[in-house]
Amino acid sequence: MTDQTGLSGLVDRAAMVTPPVVARRARGLSERAIAWLFITPTMLLLLAINIFPLIWTIRLSFTNYRANRPNATVLDVGLANYQSILTDPDVWAAMTVTARFVFWSILIQTVLGFTLAWLIDKKFRGHGLWTTLILLPMMLSPAVVGNFWTFLYQPQIGLFNYVISAATGAPASSFQMLAQVPLAPWAIVIVDTWMWTPYVMLICLAGLRSIPDYIYEAAEVDRASPWRQFWSITLPMALPFIMLAVLFRGIENFKMFDMVNLLTGGGPGSTTEVASITLKREAFEKWRTGYSSAFAIILFVTVFGLANIYVKALNRVKNR
Amino acid sequence: MKLLQTFALTATVAAAAAFGASAPARAEGKTITLCWAAWDPANALVELSKDFTAKTGVNMKFEFVPWPNFADRMLNELNSKGKLCDLMIGDSQWIGGAAENGQYVKLNEFFDKEGIKISDFMPATVAGYAEWPKGSPNYWALPAMGDANGWTYRKDWFSRPEIREEFKKKFGRELEVPKTQEELKDIAEFFQKRVIDGKTVYGAAIFTERGSEGITMGVTNALYPFGFKYQNPKKPYDMQGFVNSDDAVKGLEFYKALYKCCTPPGYSNGYMQEGLDAFKSGQVALQMNWFAFFPGLYKDPNVGGDRIGFFVNPAQKEKGSQLGGQGISVVAYSPNRPEALAYIKWFASLDTQKKWWALGGYSCHKGVLNDPNFKNTAPFAADFLVAMDQVVDFWAEPSYAQLLLAMQKRVHDYVVADQGTAKGALDGLIVDWTKVFKEDGKL
């Protein structure tokens, strides 16, 4: 009986699905050898760039290693790094900032993204052009977006302030979006929403377009109102797609670094210091490699755990 | 095989030793790379280094990184034992770490052999840019670029009769270069939101940057004159009553008041470049910045020449300016050590140092600085001498990055984000720094 588990099982299964004409012996190589030949480079690459760094990071997280002190003795410190991180108020502050940022940006992006998708799905005149225009921010690099919005937010010459000023009547320079503690987190949420709402919209649009027309036709026959159709057909059937968009954006926002770094660098004070900024400071500015490895593992486990719970909920919704 | 390797290594070492100072003559076509920050003095160094190539035949390559990324990029290079840089003009605070980790070549023997006298250089720059441990005769760099924090002001605005008259009416004294920190704040407040030539201008561009070292370099410029000390002079690493003394608290409160009253709107993350932009665009009357930028500012067509004036960081209870500047070191992993050392030898000569100053670099050589005519060579030359005589440096410990980031956070939280009190920020700083020194085994 063929072993169906592990790497060997994978190779056997690959060999079984190989078409007979290719499976013949070539230059004296067996089917299994050919399968190994094709799979091995990928496996090695995967091990080198994914598995090995992960294992190495886990190993380092139990040490006091510092990458900037090659001559220092490396000691095993057990769970001390983990204990230190989980009792550090600065780390908890950064996690709180991250959680708030993830919550508000996802909430706003989901509502806006779904609304835009619902409007675009109506196929009004010029909807193709509008779709292209809405998608533009998503195509830009975060570095460009960060610098671009830094100028927009500039209190004296930034366009953003003039727009707000025109709408509210307040002086333009009174909105110091990146400099004031209450406004800075919202400044980042606004930019992230501007950039990534189109992405949510695309996924929601795919969901809306997947709903068969005959369901709406049946609802029309039953004289269901548009509101009733929305609540009973559109929203439930698009829900798995919306949840998928929330999952993708949630994972991305939890790891958010570039935009925050460019816009505020974590400031003013530590108001916008998300977990990834703290991690970067620990790893590449303070050079506390062991400590930051433990921090990275904690973040990884957090994202992985939350994503797993969420995927289970997603599957339940899909199977309803 | 091992025997062969040993032989090859011995032969290489012997050849390198024999090569020594005469290396340049035989190094035609070789290229060495000098790493530094991307700023005005680096351009002057490119110009200056052409003489080295002409004299020795060794070509020069330059790797200049913008200041905000300079430490990240270059410390990564050193920590990964990279061979990109043969010569490094690294920050003064790196000396401790680079020396202890064997990243820089110790230069004592080389200096002795080549007759380079470290005593030819200003003592403050030797202590700041070359020594480790501090106060010991162990040299890991040659002082290359003297620098300190100073101020520029709009001389043309200061000289306007109507402005002078209004200032005198308000403060009862002439509008002149400030002699104290309080006077500086008065002037900044006076100019804040004033309309000059139909344009609203502001008081002062000061350092408030959060990410790298900005706000620390700025706030210490206020803390030192008010009486802040890093430690008890009689007991190293004893910080209680020094870092958080009443005078230090007053200094920190002063900096916050200066930030709140007198900076342009939204100026919460400004460092060197933002200060230069604010000054050059005519937004501010005063600007805190490094002397290194002053030659460039003096040449600026809009605000330079007769329109700009310079002054040393004013005293309050005592004198003090934040030390900037860097030394030049030979990277231990360099495969071109003889050529790199030859560059140091050439750079240390008085003729080269004179030309270095003439091109816009700040020489640390006494032969240049003690020249009776030095003060007349540039409008900021005299102030530079005064500033270098009162400089104080941040911790230069191997853990300086941890110490620096702790201060960045504490100070930014208080000054910019309005959290807590000055006393609380400085008390917290002692907690952070004590933790670092304990981890390092210093306490």
Side-chain angles (χ1 to χ4, degrees), chain A residues 33-49:
Chain A
I34 291 169
W36 273 108
L37 202 65
F38 280 103
I39 289 170
T40 305
T42 311
M43 299 300 268
L44 288 176
L45 203 65
L46 196 70
L47 282 169
I49 63 174

mmCIF file of all heavy atoms in Angstrom, chain A residues 33-49:
data_model
loop_
_atom_site.group_PDB
_atom_site.id
_atom_site.type_symbol
_atom_site.label_atom_id
_atom_site.label_comp_id
_atom_site.label_asym_id
_atom_site.label_seq_id
_atom_site.Cartn_x
_atom_site.Cartn_y
_atom_site.Cartn_z
ATOM 1 N N ALA A 33 11.247 9.296 -9.491
ATOM 2 C CA ALA A 33 12.414 10.193 -9.544
ATOM 3 C C ALA A 33 12.072 11.474 -10.294
ATOM 4 O O ALA A 33 12.467 12.571 -9.897
ATOM 5 C CB ALA A 33 13.577 9.471 -10.221
ATOM 6 N N ILE A 34 11.297 11.306 -11.380
ATOM 7 C CA ILE A 34 10.912 12.512 -12.152
ATOM 8 C C ILE A 34 10.036 13.427 -11.295
ATOM 9 O O ILE A 34 10.220 14.648 -11.267
ATOM 10 C CB ILE A 34 10.178 12.105 -13.455
ATOM 11 C CG1 ILE A 34 11.170 11.426 -14.406
ATOM 12 C CG2 ILE A 34 9.545 13.319 -14.135
ATOM 13 C CD1 ILE A 34 10.547 10.751 -15.599
ATOM 14 N N ALA A 35 9.102 12.795 -10.573
ATOM 15 C CA ALA A 35 8.229 13.593 -9.693
ATOM 16 C C ALA A 35 9.061 14.343 -8.658
ATOM 17 O O ALA A 35 8.867 15.536 -8.423
ATOM 18 C CB ALA A 35 7.224 12.683 -9.011
ATOM 19 N N TRP A 36 10.010 13.630 -8.060
ATOM 20 C CA TRP A 36 10.893 14.276 -7.066
ATOM 21 C C TRP A 36 11.668 15.426 -7.704
ATOM 22 O O TRP A 36 11.856 16.476 -7.100
ATOM 23 C CB TRP A 36 11.890 13.268 -6.491
ATOM 24 C CG TRP A 36 11.357 12.520 -5.312
ATOM 25 C CD1 TRP A 36 10.980 11.216 -5.259
ATOM 26 C CD2 TRP A 36 11.147 13.049 -4.000
ATOM 27 N NE1 TRP A 36 10.530 10.884 -4.014
ATOM 28 C CE2 TRP A 36 10.623 12.007 -3.207
ATOM 29 C CE3 TRP A 36 11.315 14.306 -3.422
ATOM 30 C CZ2 TRP A 36 10.285 12.162 -1.875
ATOM 31 C CZ3 TRP A 36 11.000 14.474 -2.099
ATOM 32 C CH2 TRP A 36 10.479 13.405 -1.339
ATOM 33 N N LEU A 37 12.129 15.190 -8.922
ATOM 34 C CA LEU A 37 12.933 16.188 -9.635
ATOM 35 C C LEU A 37 12.167 17.499 -9.806
ATOM 36 O O LEU A 37 12.721 18.590 -9.655
ATOM 37 C CB LEU A 37 13.296 15.622 -11.019
ATOM 38 C CG LEU A 37 14.507 16.234 -11.707
ATOM 39 C CD1 LEU A 37 15.759 15.945 -10.913
ATOM 40 C CD2 LEU A 37 14.634 15.656 -13.117
ATOM 41 N N PHE A 38 10.879 17.375 -10.085
ATOM 42 C CA PHE A 38 10.082 18.585 -10.290
ATOM 43 C C PHE A 38 9.690 19.253 -8.971
ATOM 44 O O PHE A 38 9.626 20.471 -8.896
ATOM 45 C CB PHE A 38 8.812 18.241 -11.093
ATOM 46 C CG PHE A 38 9.075 18.133 -12.573
ATOM 47 C CD1 PHE A 38 9.160 16.905 -13.179
ATOM 48 C CD2 PHE A 38 9.264 19.271 -13.343
ATOM 49 C CE1 PHE A 38 9.426 16.799 -14.532
ATOM 50 C CE2 PHE A 38 9.532 19.173 -14.698
ATOM 51 C CZ PHE A 38 9.614 17.937 -15.300
ATOM 52 N N ILE A 39 9.411 18.415 -7.989
ATOM 53 C CA ILE A 39 8.899 18.979 -6.740
ATOM 54 C C ILE A 39 10.008 19.541 -5.838
ATOM 55 O O ILE A 39 9.836 20.553 -5.175
ATOM 56 C CB ILE A 39 8.067 17.922 -5.978
ATOM 57 C CG1 ILE A 39 6.745 17.695 -6.728
ATOM 58 C CG2 ILE A 39 7.772 18.336 -4.542
ATOM 59 C CD1 ILE A 39 5.957 16.525 -6.212
ATOM 60 N N THR A 40 11.178 18.882 -5.880
ATOM 61 C CA THR A 40 12.243 19.247 -4.935
ATOM 62 C C THR A 40 12.627 20.729 -4.951
ATOM 63 O O THR A 40 12.699 21.353 -3.884
ATOM 64 C CB THR A 40 13.488 18.367 -5.171
ATOM 65 O OG1 THR A 40 13.057 17.018 -5.086
ATOM 66 C CG2 THR A 40 14.566 18.630 -4.134
ATOM 67 N N PRO A 41 12.869 21.349 -6.136
ATOM 68 C CA PRO A 41 13.270 22.772 -6.091
ATOM 69 C C PRO A 41 12.239 23.645 -5.376
ATOM 70 O O PRO A 41 12.606 24.516 -4.583
ATOM 71 C CB PRO A 41 13.366 23.162 -7.575
ATOM 72 C CG PRO A 41 13.534 21.888 -8.296
ATOM 73 C CD PRO A 41 12.816 20.832 -7.512
ATOM 74 N N THR A 42 10.966 23.376 -5.645
ATOM 75 C CA THR A 42 9.915 24.183 -5.001
ATOM 76 C C THR A 42 9.928 23.970 -3.499
ATOM 77 O O THR A 42 9.807 24.921 -2.719
ATOM 78 C CB THR A 42 8.530 23.787 -5.568
ATOM 79 O OG1 THR A 42 8.631 23.781 -6.987
ATOM 80 C CG2 THR A 42 7.457 24.740 -5.119
ATOM 81 N N MET A 43 10.066 22.680 -3.125
ATOM 82 C CA MET A 43 10.070 22.380 -1.686
ATOM 83 C C MET A 43 11.261 23.058 -0.998
ATOM 84 O O MET A 43 11.122 23.623 0.088
ATOM 85 C CB MET A 43 10.160 20.863 -1.458
ATOM 86 C CG MET A 43 9.009 20.089 -2.042
ATOM 87 S SD MET A 43 7.443 20.599 -1.357
ATOM 88 C CE MET A 43 7.279 19.501 -0.053
ATOM 89 N N LEU A 44 12.409 23.005 -1.669
ATOM 90 C CA LEU A 44 13.613 23.615 -1.071
ATOM 91 C C LEU A 44 13.430 25.127 -0.937
ATOM 92 O O LEU A 44 13.783 25.717 0.093
ATOM 93 C CB LEU A 44 14.846 23.306 -1.922
ATOM 94 C CG LEU A 44 15.346 21.860 -1.855
ATOM 95 C CD1 LEU A 44 16.515 21.660 -2.816
ATOM 96 C CD2 LEU A 44 15.766 21.473 -0.442
ATOM 97 N N LEU A 45 12.880 25.703 -1.979
ATOM 98 C CA LEU A 45 12.653 27.154 -1.958
ATOM 99 C C LEU A 45 11.695 27.525 -0.834
ATOM 100 O O LEU A 45 11.915 28.488 -0.089
ATOM 101 C CB LEU A 45 12.075 27.585 -3.315
ATOM 102 C CG LEU A 45 12.282 29.048 -3.681
ATOM 103 C CD1 LEU A 45 13.751 29.348 -3.872
ATOM 104 C CD2 LEU A 45 11.515 29.389 -4.949
ATOM 105 N N LEU A 46 10.646 26.723 -0.721
ATOM 106 C CA LEU A 46 9.646 26.966 0.324
ATOM 107 C C LEU A 46 10.283 26.850 1.709
ATOM 108 O O LEU A 46 10.069 27.691 2.591
ATOM 109 C CB LEU A 46 8.512 25.940 0.173
ATOM 110 C CG LEU A 46 7.227 26.266 0.912
ATOM 111 C CD1 LEU A 46 6.532 27.437 0.263
ATOM 112 C CD2 LEU A 46 6.297 25.055 0.913
ATOM 113 N N LEU A 47 11.099 25.817 1.856
ATOM 114 C CA LEU A 47 11.778 25.623 3.146
ATOM 115 C C LEU A 47 12.707 26.792 3.446
ATOM 116 O O LEU A 47 12.765 27.292 4.568
ATOM 117 C CB LEU A 47 12.590 24.322 3.125
ATOM 118 C CG LEU A 47 11.794 23.035 3.318
ATOM 119 C CD1 LEU A 47 12.677 21.827 3.013
ATOM 120 C CD2 LEU A 47 11.280 22.922 4.752
ATOM 121 N N ALA A 48 13.433 27.220 2.404
ATOM 122 C CA ALA A 48 14.440 28.271 2.616
ATOM 123 C C ALA A 48 13.818 29.619 2.948
ATOM 124 O O ALA A 48 14.318 30.333 3.809
ATOM 125 C CB ALA A 48 15.326 28.389 1.372
ATOM 126 N N ILE A 49 12.736 29.955 2.255
ATOM 127 C CA ILE A 49 12.233 31.319 2.449
ATOM 128 C C ILE A 49 11.034 31.408 3.385
ATOM 129 O O ILE A 49 10.661 32.497 3.788
ATOM 130 C CB ILE A 49 11.905 32.023 1.107
ATOM 131 C CG1 ILE A 49 10.789 31.294 0.376
ATOM 132 C CG2 ILE A 49 13.131 32.163 0.239
ATOM 133 C CD1 ILE A 49 10.316 32.014 -0.876
#
